[in-house]
């Protein structure tokens, strides 16, 4: 039992190690923003109601965390305990009703806490006690009705406190809890239920911006100096508030006072307080006609002579018309005058501004203007630079409509219903830089419409009704860098439509009806064009062609071709993108392309962004090598392209890839080793792929939950294609690992057994293995040799194996005696083939000779090669029943020494051996003669014939008896081998 538990533990450890090599991660309810370095996390629309659970797997490295649009009602204590690096925590738009007093404990780094749009009605006084670094606390749109005195007491660094849209009534209590916040700059109390500003404490002196709009204030009831440090003060939409409330109040530091839709009379306020007139926003103060405005001017002029007024806000005063010279007696307005949201039907030629010759900007938005008239006969407003007529009902712009404002640099005529714009409407605007004509009903622009606009940089004609761009329309716009023609009905671009656009960088032609890309037309822009938007046109190719419409566009960075109507590009020509060598972004979504050639993207070596989402018809497999040159690609969207497998040939070269979107493809599995090669990949989205929950994906499953390199977002929502109702992240892989476990177990077991046996086998069976191997190697050679040489036709009679120390004896004794008797001997130094492997030579020698003579001496026993030979020969002896081995003992070897050569003793036990008589023999010459005769007889004997052997053995036995009696040493049969050794070698 204990053993199996231990085994399991070890296996687990092994697995963890294996799995740590490759890896991705995912979060139950959150995603990490790609490229954020494990710092920014978002958890949006989580079904999980418990916020602690939602954020539990977010990495501790997180600095910015957003949990939004979930059904969370309660923030538990220590929910963010592990996220002590958080600097920004956004918990807006949930259903939070209650927050535990320890909810934000440990968030010592937190700077921004956003709890807006929840249902919090009260907060524990300690809930923010750890947040001493907090600079922004956003509590807007909750249900707070009171605040504890100590609620904010620890927030000594707080700069911004937002409490708008709550149910606060008690201003005094509120001031009490912020009184010590010496860093507080902005306090927003708009949309509450405050009725007075009665207070028992003072505002922090740092507080510069106080917003009190949309309360129920009717009197202020505060000290005269209470607001003396405030600079921006908003009392708008306190309907009952009248000027009396401000009487005597010190407002001298105010720079902006907003009183819109209160009951305050501007002139009385100016008369009875020390507020500076240029600080007041006069919007919504019922200054509805020239008379009211003139008297305001008169007042400003006479009480504050010499002053220039930098901004004049007169919005929402129900002004219907302004007489000429209305502002003639005002001090000089220098910056902006805003007359938006009034009810003017005409502004003539801005004659109401006569006398104002320093005004720079005029806004007349959201009025009821219908026509801009000719103004070439009125006084000019040379100071006006910016003029906005947005959101009116202008249908017609007459010729010379802006002749009175010749210095305009910015003109906004957008969001009207301009259908008629005279050829000369814009004449004279030589300084104009930005012209907005978008969202009108223009059908034609003429070749002289923009004639004078030589400084123009941005021309926006989006969302009109233009059908044709005629030749030379933009001829004089040599400084234009952005031309927006999107959302028109352009079917035709005349050949010289873009002539003169020498600086054009961005050209938007999306949502038109172009059916081709005219390379000569766009080619003219090649030197400057960087962005070309051709989305949603009617471009379609039905047959292959070999030129690229973009061939010269080597500066183009961004090309959009998505969603061609009605049925997509269809056949994308192979050379289509040739020449786009700088291109960084390419959009091709929604195009019903039937297939991509493998060289389609070859020129796009600098591409960083590519989207092909929904670009195919059905299943159009990506060709191998299609992305081979896109090494700089960082983001790739290949959603819904029918991709069935994620192959190395297609994706393997995308080494720069960081984000990969593979959603809605047909892949059932994913090879994780390939992802390991994409070393920059940090995000892979595979939602809505029919991932199988079978063993082929068990690695993927493990991999998706373990490491920190690669995010696999929404993993926990991915279901099993083949097991409806179960989830990919936890499908049961035990079955798969059981196999592997068993496999690993048997592997480990075998390994252990082997480890135990190897030393033993090494000692006992080493040579057997080694020779088995050599014999196997020689076997083939032998087989064919035998085939070639059917009868036992040996090349040599004997292969002589000896040690070089005994060479003299071999050369002087053996060779003359045997070769003299016409025996063919094989000697290694003489007969081995040069250059052949020594082992092969030995094998060939042993098998190429009828016998092998081993010249045994002390030196021989020490030599490995000789041992190899003797073992090979003895292998033949024992295994092939070939009697090939002849042992010749040159010197007496002590029995004790021989016992270490087990095999030698075994051979000696089974076989004849001869002892060289040597020098200390009593009758050397006759003994030698006998020796040679014996040797020659043994050499002649048949290898298989056991008769001879039997004879020799009998003879040996006889001789042994003789030896026993006569103590001769001519034939030595060693004493019986001890049984043990014998049996150990089977
Ligand atoms: C929140 O709850 C409502 C009603 O119970 C449900 O309709 C909605 O889908 C839930 N939202 C989330 C994100 O779970
Ligand atoms: C993270 O929060 C900090 C404020 O603490 C902010 O400056 C930064 O822009 C935020 N980063 C992101 C990616 O939202």
């Amino acid at each position: 039992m204990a053993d199996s538990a231990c085994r399991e533990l070890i296996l687990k450890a092994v697995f963890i190690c294996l799995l740590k090599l490759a890896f991705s991660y995912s979060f139950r309810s959150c995603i990490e923003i790609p490229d954020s370095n494990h710092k920014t996390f978002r958890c949006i629309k989580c079904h999980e109601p418990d916020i602690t659970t939602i954020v539990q797997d977010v990495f501790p490295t997180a600095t910015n965390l957003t949990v939004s649009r979930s059904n969370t009602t309660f923030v538990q204590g220590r929910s963010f305990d592990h996220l002590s690096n958080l600097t920004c925590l956004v918990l807006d738009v949930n259903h939070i009703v209650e927050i535990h007093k320890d909810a934000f404990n440990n968030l010592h780094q937190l700077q921004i806490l956003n709890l807006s749009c929840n249902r919090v009605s009260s907060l524990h006084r300690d809930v923010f006690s750890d947040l001493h670094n907090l600079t922004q606390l956003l509590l807007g749109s909750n249900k707070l009705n009171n605040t504890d005195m100590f609620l904010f007491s620890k927030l000594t660094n707080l700069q911004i406190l937002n409490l708008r849209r709550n149910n606060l009534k008690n201003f005094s209590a509120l001031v009490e809890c912020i009184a010590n916040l010496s860093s507080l700059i902005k306090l927003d109390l708009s949309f509450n239920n405050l009725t007075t500003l009665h207070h028992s404490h003072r505002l922090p002196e740092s507080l510069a911006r106080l917003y009190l709009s949309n309360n129920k204030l009717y009197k202020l009831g505060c000290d005269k100096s209470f607001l003396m440090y405030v600079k921006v003060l908003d009392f708008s939409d306190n309907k009952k508030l009248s000027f009396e409330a401000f009487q005597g109040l010190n407002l001298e530091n105010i720079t902006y006072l907003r009183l819109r839709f209160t009951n305050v009379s501007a002139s009385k306020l100016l008369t009875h307080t020390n507020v500076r007139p240029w600080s007041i926003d006069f919007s919504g103060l019922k200054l509805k006609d020239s008379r009211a405005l003139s008297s305001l001017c008169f007042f400003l002029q006479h009480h504050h002579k010499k002053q220039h007024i930098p901004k004049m806000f007169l919005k929402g005063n129900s002004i219907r018309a302004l007489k000429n010279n209305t502002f003639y007696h005002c001090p000089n307005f220098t910056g902006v005058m805003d007359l938006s949201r009034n009810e003017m039907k005409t502004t003539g030629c801005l004659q109401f501004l006569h006398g104002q010759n320093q005004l720079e900007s005029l806004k007349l938005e959201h009025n009821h203007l219908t026509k801009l008239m000719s103004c070439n006969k009125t006084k000019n407003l040379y100071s006006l630079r910016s003029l906005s007529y947005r959101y009116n009902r202008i249908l017609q712009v007459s010729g010379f409509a802006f002749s009175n404002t010749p210095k305009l640099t910015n003109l906004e005529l957008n969001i009207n219903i301009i259908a008629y714009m005279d050829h000369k409407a814009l004449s004279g605007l030589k300084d104009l830089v930005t012209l907005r004509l978008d969202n009108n009903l223009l059908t034609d622009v003429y070749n002289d419409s923009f004639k004078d606009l030589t400084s123009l940089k941005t021309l926006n004609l989006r969302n009109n009704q233009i059908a044709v761009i005629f030749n030379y329309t933009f001829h004089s716009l040599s400084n234009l860098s952005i031309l927006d023609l999107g959302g028109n009905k352009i079917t035709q671009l005349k050949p010289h439509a873009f002539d003169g656009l020498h600086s054009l960088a961005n050209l938007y032609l999306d949502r038109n009806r172009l059916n081709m890309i005219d390379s000569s037309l766009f080619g003219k822009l090649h030197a400057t064009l960087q962005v070309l938007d051709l989305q949603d046109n009617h471009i379609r190719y039905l047959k292959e062609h070999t030129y690229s419409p973009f061939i010269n566009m080597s500066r183009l960075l961004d090309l959009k071709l998505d969603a061609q109507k009605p049925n997509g590009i269809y056949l994308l020509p192979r050379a289509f993108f040739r020449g786009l060598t700088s291109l960084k972004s390419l959009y091709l979504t929604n195009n019903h392309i039937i297939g991509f050639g493998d060289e389609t993207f070859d020129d796009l070596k600098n591409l960083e962004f590519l989207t092909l989402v929904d670009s195919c018809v059905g299943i159009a497999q990506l060709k191998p090598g299609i992305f081979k040159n896109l090494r700089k690609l960082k983001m790739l969207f290949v959603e819904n392209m029918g991709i069935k497998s994620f192959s190395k040939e297609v994706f393997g070269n995308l080494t720069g890839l960081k984000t990969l979107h593979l959603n809605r493809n047909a892949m059932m599995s994913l090879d994780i080793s390939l992802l390991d090669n994409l070393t920059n990949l940090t995000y892979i989205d595979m939602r809505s792929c029919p991932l199988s929950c079978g063993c082929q994906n068990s690695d993927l499953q493990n991999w998706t939950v373990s490491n920190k390199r690669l995010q696999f977002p929404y993993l926990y929502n991915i279901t099993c294609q083949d097991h409806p109702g179960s989830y990919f992240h936890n499908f049961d892989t035990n079955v798969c690992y059981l196999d592997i476990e068993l496999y690993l177990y048997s592997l480990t077991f075998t390994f252990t057994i082997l480890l135990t046996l190897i030393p033993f086998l090494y000692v006992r069976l080493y040579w057997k293995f080694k020779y088995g191997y050599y014999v196997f190697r020689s076997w083939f050679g032998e087989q064919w040799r035998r085939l070639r040489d059917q009868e036992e036709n040996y090349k040599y009679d004997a292969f002589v194996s000896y040690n070089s120390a005994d060479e003299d004896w071999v050369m002087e004794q053996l060779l003359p005696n045997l070769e003299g008797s016409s025996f063919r001997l094989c000697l290694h130094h003489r007969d081995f083939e040069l250059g052949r492997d020594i082992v092969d030579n030995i094998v060939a020698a042993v098998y190429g000779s009828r016998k092998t003579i081993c010249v045994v001496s002390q030196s021989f026993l020490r030599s490995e090669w000789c041992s190899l030979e003797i073992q090979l020969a003895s292998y033949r002896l024992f295994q092939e029943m070939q009697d090939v081995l002849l042992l010749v003992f040159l010197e007496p070897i002590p029995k004790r020494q021989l016992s270490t050569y087990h095999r030698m003793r075994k051979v000696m036990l089974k076989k004849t051996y001869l002892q060289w008589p040597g020098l200390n023999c009593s009758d050397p010459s006759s003994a030698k003669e006998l020796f040679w005769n014996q040797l020659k007889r043994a050499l002649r004997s048949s290898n298989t014939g056991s008769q001879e052997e039997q004879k020799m053995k009998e003879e040996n036995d006889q001789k042994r008896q003789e030896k026993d009696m006569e103590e001769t040493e001519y034939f030595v049969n060693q004493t019986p081998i001890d049984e043990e050794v014998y049996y150990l070698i089977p």
Side-chain angles (χ1 to χ4, degrees):
M1 225 30 234
D3 186 36
S4 88
C6 183
R7 184 164 60 88
E8 215 157 87
L9 221 90
I10 291 168
L11 281 173
K12 265 183 194 157
V14 168
F15 264 117
I16 289 165
C17 291
L18 289 175
L19 293 170
K20 288 280 170 186
L21 298 172
F23 329 91
S24 78
Y25 54 94
S26 191
F27 308 96
R28 300 239 153 219
S29 311
C30 307
I31 61 163
E32 179 192 327
I33 302 304
D35 250 352
S36 79
N37 249 335
H38 308 325
K39 292 207 159 126
T40 305
F41 294 83
R42 266 202 201 133
C43 323
I44 311 287
K45 294 189 184 166
C46 312
H47 295 293
E48 169 62 52
D50 180 13
I51 212 155
T52 315
T53 314
I54 292 175
V55 304
Q56 70 181 1
D57 54 1
V58 168
F59 295 153
T61 47
T63 59
N64 296 38
L65 172 64
T66 301
V67 182
S68 230
R69 295 184 170 77
S70 69
N71 280 346
T72 304
T73 56
F74 178 51
V75 185
Q76 290 185 1
R78 302 196 157 268
S79 289
F80 311 97
D81 222 15
H82 62 302
L83 301 174
S84 58
N85 289 310
L86 280 183
T87 59
C88 179
L89 176 59
V90 178
L91 298 174
D92 63 350
V93 203
N94 290 296
H95 294 95
I96 301 170
V97 176
E98 211 185 327
I99 301 176
H100 189 272
K101 74 179 176 60
D102 295 330
F104 307 118
N105 274 21
N106 208 24
L107 299 182
H108 299 285
Q109 310 294 325
L110 201 65
Q111 292 170 9
I112 299 174
L113 176 58
N114 187 345
L115 286 162
S116 307
C117 303
N118 282 291
R119 295 172 186 172
V120 181
S121 55
S122 67
L123 287 164
H124 190 277
R125 61 161 64 172
D126 292 330
V127 72
F128 304 129
S129 60
D130 271 5
L131 311 184
H132 37 81
N133 274 315
L134 205 66
T135 58
Q136 294 188 31
L137 177 56
L138 311 180
L139 284 162
S141 301
N142 276 287
K143 292 184 165 16
L144 290 171
N145 45 36
N146 62 354
T147 45
D148 186 277
M149 189 178 152
F150 298 104
L151 182 59
F152 308 125
S153 61
K154 299 279 170 46
L155 307 181
T156 48
N157 286 301
L158 198 66
Q159 294 172 3
I160 296 174
L161 176 57
N162 188 331
L163 288 163
R164 59 189 281 135
R165 291 190 191 272
N166 278 284
N167 293 329
L168 298 170
K169 295 188 187 72
N170 191 341
F171 184 74
S172 186
L174 217 109
V175 176
E176 188 172 1
C177 56
I178 63 157
N180 293 322
L181 304 183
S182 57
S183 302
L184 196 65
I185 296 169
K186 177 176 166 182
L187 174 60
D188 192 343
L189 291 167
S190 307
F191 296 92
N192 278 287
N193 289 325
L194 304 177
T195 50
T196 76
L197 296 188
H198 182 76
H199 58 94
S200 52
H201 289 71
R202 304 205 64 81
L203 294 173
E205 285 180 21
S206 55
L207 190 70
R209 308 169 80 91
L210 178 58
Y211 299 85
L212 292 161
S213 72
N214 289 280
N215 276 282
K216 296 187 174 134
L217 296 170
Y218 59 95
K219 56 178 184 165
L220 298 185
C222 56
D223 278 3
K224 293 194 171 12
S225 58
F226 183 65
L227 299 170
M228 71 175 288
Y229 297 107
V230 179
K231 295 196 172 70
V232 173
L233 190 54
D234 185 359
F235 280 114
S236 56
D237 292 279
N238 285 284
K239 303 217 165 38
K240 293 183 184 157
L241 197 64
S242 62
F243 125 82
E244 285 81 6
F246 295 90
Q247 247 177 332
L249 221 51
N250 184 355
L251 300 172
E252 68 177 345
N253 283 319
I254 302 281
T255 56
Y256 180 76
L257 177 61
R258 199 162 181 242
L259 294 164
R260 193 186 64 165
F261 308 135
T262 60
N263 217 0
V264 175
S265 148
S267 53
K268 285 188 182 162
L269 188 72
L270 285 166
T271 321
H272 294 102
T273 66
N274 62 352
V275 67
R276 290 172 295 183
W278 56 89
S279 309
I280 301 176
D281 181 341
F282 293 102
S283 301
L285 288 179
K286 304 195 186 85
L287 301 164
K288 66 181 192 182
D289 53 22
S290 297
R291 206 169 58 84
L293 290 170
S294 295
S295 61
L296 174 65
C297 279
F298 183 80
F299 180 88
L300 293 174
Q301 181 75 337
H302 289 272
H303 286 78
H304 303 271
K305 287 173 189 157
K306 288 183 192 168
Q307 291 289 351
H308 294 246
I309 295 189
K311 48 191 192 252
M312 190 65 181
F313 298 115
L314 290 166
K315 294 194 279 184
N317 276 316
S318 308
I319 301 168
R320 285 166 182 252
L322 288 174
K323 287 189 187 142
N324 291 357
N325 307 325
T326 299
F327 299 105
Y328 193 83
H329 295 290
C330 272
N332 276 326
F333 301 134
T334 52
V336 55
M337 173 181 281
D338 194 343
L339 284 160
S340 302
R341 296 189 185 271
N342 282 294
E343 293 159 22
M344 288 188 273
K345 290 208 164 76
T346 176
T347 53
C349 287
L350 309 179
Q351 288 97 335
F352 61 87
L353 283 176
H354 285 166
Q356 288 293 336
N357 48 25
Q358 293 182 28
L359 191 68
E360 277 190 9
S361 172
L362 178 63
K363 290 187 176 173
L364 285 159
E365 301 170 3
H366 291 282
N367 274 280
H368 301 165
L369 307 176
T370 54
K371 180 181 173 182
L372 297 180
M373 55 178 16
S374 287
C375 290
N376 52 351
K377 297 196 180 75
T378 54
K379 267 197 220 162
N380 285 352
L381 296 160
Y382 288 109
S383 61
L384 211 59
R385 295 273 183 276
S386 178
L387 181 55
S388 174
Y389 283 111
R390 298 193 311 164
Y391 292 103
N392 276 282
R393 300 164 192 175
I394 301 168
L395 180 66
Q396 184 181 355
V397 183
S398 308
F400 308 101
F402 306 98
S403 290
N404 57 334
T405 54
K407 298 291 181 189
L408 284 182
T409 57
N410 179 52
L411 177 57
E412 295 174 24
L413 296 170
N414 45 324
I415 320 176
N416 279 288
I417 49 169
I418 301 173
Y420 313 104
M421 191 175 76
D422 192 88
H423 293 233
K424 302 280 180 196
L426 303 166
S427 88
L429 296 176
K430 288 192 164 25
D431 294 337
L432 203 62
V433 174
T434 304
L435 175 58
R436 300 283 306 264
L437 277 166
D438 47 295
N439 296 291
N440 280 294
L441 297 170
L442 291 169
T443 51
D444 299 292
V445 281
Y446 311 104
N447 60 7
D448 54 350
S449 292
F450 309 115
K451 188 159 161 272
D452 285 353
L453 313 184
T454 50
S455 304
L456 204 64
K457 292 208 162 118
T458 302
L459 174 55
N460 193 336
L461 285 162
R462 176 171 289 269
N463 296 341
N464 278 282
Q465 308 282 322
I466 301 165
V468 182
I469 303 290
F470 293 102
N471 287 336
Y472 309 113
T473 300
F474 311 112
H475 198 55
S476 47
L477 306 184
S478 62
N479 286 307
L480 198 69
S481 94
I482 300 173
L483 175 57
D484 191 341
L485 289 165
N488 280 284
K489 294 180 174 168
I490 302 172
T491 51
Q492 211 182 346
L493 297 164
K494 295 285 185 190
H496 298 283
F498 297 138
D499 279 25
L501 293 169
H502 301 309
S503 306
L504 199 65
N506 296 26
L507 176 56
Y508 302 93
L509 280 163
D510 51 300
R511 299 197 296 121
N512 279 291
R513 296 172 186 178
L514 297 169
N515 55 20
M516 60 174 291
I517 302 173
D518 183 342
S519 54
S520 62
L521 196 70
F522 294 109
K524 286 176 185 160
L525 307 171
H526 75 93
T528 55
L529 202 64
Q530 297 182 347
V531 175
L532 179 56
D533 189 344
L534 287 165
Q535 286 186 68
D536 204 346
N537 275 279
H538 292 190
I539 298 162
R540 184 171 176 84
Y541 295 90
L542 292 172
K543 58 179 199 291
E544 183 64 55
H545 61 69
T546 51
Y547 64 90
S548 161
F550 308 110
I551 193 70
N552 287 325
M553 303 251 200
S554 59
R555 300 217 164 172
L556 203 64
L557 301 176
D558 191 310
L559 177 60
K560 293 192 173 78
L561 285 164
D562 325 49
Q564 298 302 320
K565 292 270 165 61
N567 294 315
I569 290 181
Y570 191 67
L571 193 147
L572 189 74
R574 280 158 194 272
F576 201 62
F577 300 117
R578 199 155 295 159
L580 293 172
T581 50
S582 300
L583 203 69
K584 284 198 154 71
S585 309
L586 177 59
Y587 300 75
L588 274 174
T589 65
N590 287 302
N591 266 319
H592 293 90
I593 293 167
I594 50 167
F596 293 94
D598 57 355
E599 74 271 44
T600 305
F601 302 120
D602 278 9
D603 268 13
L604 311 182
K605 297 194 169 75
N606 284 301
L607 205 64
E608 292 177 2
F609 177 100
L610 175 61
T611 172
L612 299 171
V613 177
D614 295 319
S615 63
C616 290
V617 231
I619 291 180
Q621 284 296 304
L622 292 168
K623 295 224 170 81
I626 181 168
F627 300 136
K628 59 180 169 296
N629 287 345
L630 308 187
R631 288 185 213 279
K632 292 194 178 163
L633 200 68
K634 293 198 173 94
M635 297 178 87
L636 177 60
F637 294 77
V638 283
E639 297 176 22
N640 193 25
M641 289 188 70
I643 298 170
K644 279 184 176 160
S645 70
F646 185 76
S647 70
K648 185 174 163 59
E649 291 70 29
V650 174
F651 296 98
N653 286 326
L654 296 169
T655 46
L657 204 62
K658 290 188 166 176
T659 315
L660 177 58
H661 293 257
L662 280 164
N663 320 16
R664 295 182 287 138
N665 277 299
M667 289 171 308
M668 297 185 69
S669 64
L670 182 76
D671 176 6
I672 60 172
S673 66
L674 185 48
L675 292 177
D676 283 342
N677 295 340
L678 303 179
T679 49
N680 284 306
L681 201 62
T682 58
Y683 187 95
I684 179 167
D685 194 340
M686 285 188 68
R687 276 173 292 164
S688 307
C689 290
L691 286 179
S692 156
C693 294
C695 287
Q696 77 265 38
N697 275 336
S698 57
D699 285 350
L700 179 63
Q701 190 215 50
N702 260 295
W703 170 87
T704 49
V705 284
S706 50
N707 116 323
K708 291 205 170 188
R709 176 169 81 87
L710 188 50
Q711 188 181 183
F712 198 98
Y714 308 107
L715 171 71
Y716 297 98
N717 299 336
I718 295 175
T719 51
C720 298
Q721 166 74 4
D722 37 10
H723 297 90
S726 50
Y727 285 92
F728 182 77
H729 71 91
N730 62 0
F731 79 81
D732 189 5
T733 53
N734 281 342
V735 195
C736 317
Y737 292 128
L738 262 184
D739 288 350
I740 294 181
E741 205 172 295
L742 197 71
Y743 172 72
L744 271 192
Y745 174 69
S746 8
L747 209 73
T748 321
F749 182 78
T750 318
F751 189 64
T752 316
I753 297 288
L754 278 179
L755 271 184
T756 326
L757 285 182
I758 279 170
F760 179 75
L761 292 175
Y762 181 81
V763 172
R764 301 299 182 208
L765 293 178
Y766 175 68
W767 287 113
K768 201 163 182 85
F769 285 128
K770 190 159 178 179
Y771 303 124
Y773 164 71
Y774 290 132
V775 166
F776 177 75
R777 258 174 69 164
S778 65
W779 185 75
F780 288 102
E782 277 312 298
Q783 288 309 308
W784 74 259
R785 195 186 67 80
R786 285 213 175 138
L787 272 176
R788 191 190 58 187
D789 199 354
Q790 273 300 332
E791 83 257 36
E792 267 198 325
N793 191 1
Y794 290 105
K795 198 172 172 193
Y796 301 107
D797 291 305
F799 164 52
V800 186
S801 168
Y802 62 92
N803 187 269
S804 54
D806 308 319
E807 191 163 345
D808 287 351
W809 181 81
V810 172
M811 301 311 287
E812 285 160 21
Q813 301 285 340
L814 188 73
L815 219 56
N817 266 299
L818 293 183
E819 287 197 335
S821 316
S822 74
F823 284 103
R824 292 161 300 162
L825 296 184
C826 172
L827 302 180
H828 69 76
H829 71 271
R830 191 182 67 180
D831 300 310
F832 274 12
E833 265 177 61
L834 287 177
R836 198 174 174 188
D837 192 79
I838 179 87
V839 174
D840 289 342
N841 260 323
I842 290 174
V843 171
V846 170
Y847 279 83
S849 311
R850 191 176 319 111
K851 302 277 180 187
T852 296
I853 301 170
C854 281
V855 183
V856 181
S857 65
Q858 295 284 1
S859 320
F860 179 87
L861 288 176
R862 277 184 237 115
S863 158
E864 191 191 340
W865 290 120
C866 291
S867 289
L868 174 63
E869 289 139 34
I870 201 176
Q871 296 296 342
L872 265 179
S874 68
Y875 180 83
R876 288 185 74 185
L877 169 66
F878 287 106
Q879 306 302 320
E880 298 177 10
M881 301 306 283
Q882 297 273 325
D883 183 11
V884 294
L885 195 58
L886 284 171
L887 299 180
V888 175
F889 282 81
L890 267 196
E891 50 196 336
I893 311 285
K895 193 168 143 190
R896 151 177 51 80
Q897 190 184 348
L898 270 179
S899 72
T900 56
Y901 300 89
H902 302 297
R903 189 158 263 260
M904 174 84 73
R905 295 182 64 189
K906 196 181 168 198
V907 172
M908 287 162 75
L909 188 73
K910 187 167 165 106
K911 267 301 302 167
T912 327
Y913 52 92
L914 299 164
Q915 177 74 53
W916 174 245
L919 294 172
N920 47 0
C921 176
S922 50
D923 183 5
S925 57
S926 61
K928 278 178 187 167
E929 200 176 319
L930 180 59
F931 172 85
W932 293 122
N933 281 335
Q934 289 287 353
L935 185 56
K936 285 171 192 168
R937 195 149 66 102
L939 277 178
R940 279 193 207 98
S941 70
S942 155
N943 288 347
T944 43
S946 51
Q947 235 179 357
E948 287 283 335
E949 184 195 349
Q950 203 50 49
K951 219 186 256 174
M952 200 134 96
K953 202 160 188 192
E954 279 161 17
E955 205 168 319
N956 280 343
D957 288 345
Q958 187 196 335
K959 292 288 189 240
R960 185 177 59 184
Q961 284 158 13
E962 282 172 24
K963 182 209 96 182
D964 284 343
M965 292 181 291
E966 298 164 21
E967 304 272 5
T968 72
E969 291 197 79
Y970 297 166
F971 293 95
V972 180
N973 195 347
Q974 295 291 330
T975 48
I977 305 299
D978 52 297
E979 298 298 282
E980 196 194 343
V981 174
Y982 184 81
Y983 289 116
L984 268 175
I985 303 164

